[in-house]
Amino acid sequence: MAKMQKYNTPKGKTARVEDPALAYPSAKKPLQVADYTYKKMKKVADLVPFTQAEWANMLHLSERTLQRYAKNNSSFEGIYTDRILLLQEMIQLGLETFTDAQAFYRWLKKEKSVMGHTLNFTSLYSDRGIQEIIDQLIRIQQGVYA
């Protein structure tokens, strides 16, 4: 068994390790999660030709519930806001990667085999799938796609 080494810190001080924020690509600016209204989400939605049914599926909401958010300009709960922000990151990468929103949408709709599994539009129904799409977009930008 490895011997653990004890480090001394000045009295009253706490030892801590800090990672520089610039090391993480998604740490470009702080994310505002509180009070994320339908109008804010609509700005993201207007960037791509996703249908309301597709947005409802990606957010795990019924279309009717999404319509209520729209009608009242309600604020989304945290879990939905997190998903919208992740989708926003993916959409921004997609629009940087492809010539236009329609080309990006067609690419999302097409099945693609990546690293031994299939990615398609239904991949956007989970956080992991969205992250895999983001990873693939980064690979395409860097010219290292599978």
Side-chain angles (χ1 to χ4, degrees):
M1 181 172 254
K3 190 174 179 182
M4 297 204 44
Q5 185 173 355
K6 185 176 179 181
Y7 293 95
N8 294 324
T9 58
K11 192 170 186 167
K13 298 284 184 178
T14 305
R16 64 182 214 191
V17 176
E18 293 185 25
D19 287 334
L22 295 177
Y24 304 100
S26 62
K28 293 176 185 167
K29 59 183 177 181
L31 301 175
Q32 298 296 323
V33 178
D35 200 33
Y36 200 92
T37 63
Y38 181 83
K39 280 186 181 179
K40 289 180 184 178
M41 180 270 203
K42 183 76 171 124
K43 288 180 183 178
V44 175
D46 288 343
L47 297 173
V48 287
F50 298 167
T51 66
Q52 189 169 32
E54 290 169 337
W55 275 105
N57 284 327
M58 289 184 285
L59 297 176
H60 300 282
L61 294 169
S62 69
E63 281 187 73
R64 182 70 192 116
T65 300
L66 195 55
Q67 289 167 358
R68 267 192 302 265
Y69 275 101
K71 180 181 178 185
N72 302 326
N73 190 35
S74 303
S75 293
F76 288 95
E77 295 173 30
I79 191 164
Y80 303 118
T81 301
D82 287 343
R83 176 67 60 88
I84 294 166
L85 291 171
L86 188 59
L87 287 163
Q88 179 179 353
E89 179 182 351
M90 186 235 10
I91 289 166
Q92 288 170 338
L93 265 172
L95 295 175
E96 290 170 10
T97 306
F98 290 88
T99 55
D100 63 22
Q102 284 294 335
F104 176 49
Y105 185 69
R106 284 191 304 272
W107 180 80
L108 285 171
K109 286 291 198 171
K110 189 185 299 185
E111 279 199 2
K112 49 208 133 312
S113 181
V114 178
M115 305 282 209
H117 61 280
T118 303
L119 289 180
N120 55 28
F121 197 83
T122 59
S123 300
L124 301 178
Y125 298 169
S126 71
D127 287 346
R128 182 176 179 174
I130 297 167
Q131 188 59 55
E132 287 175 353
I133 294 285
I134 289 170
D135 293 345
Q136 185 63 11
L137 289 166
I138 291 169
R139 285 187 205 101
I140 291 170
Q141 286 183 350
Q142 297 174 349
V144 189
Y145 48 94

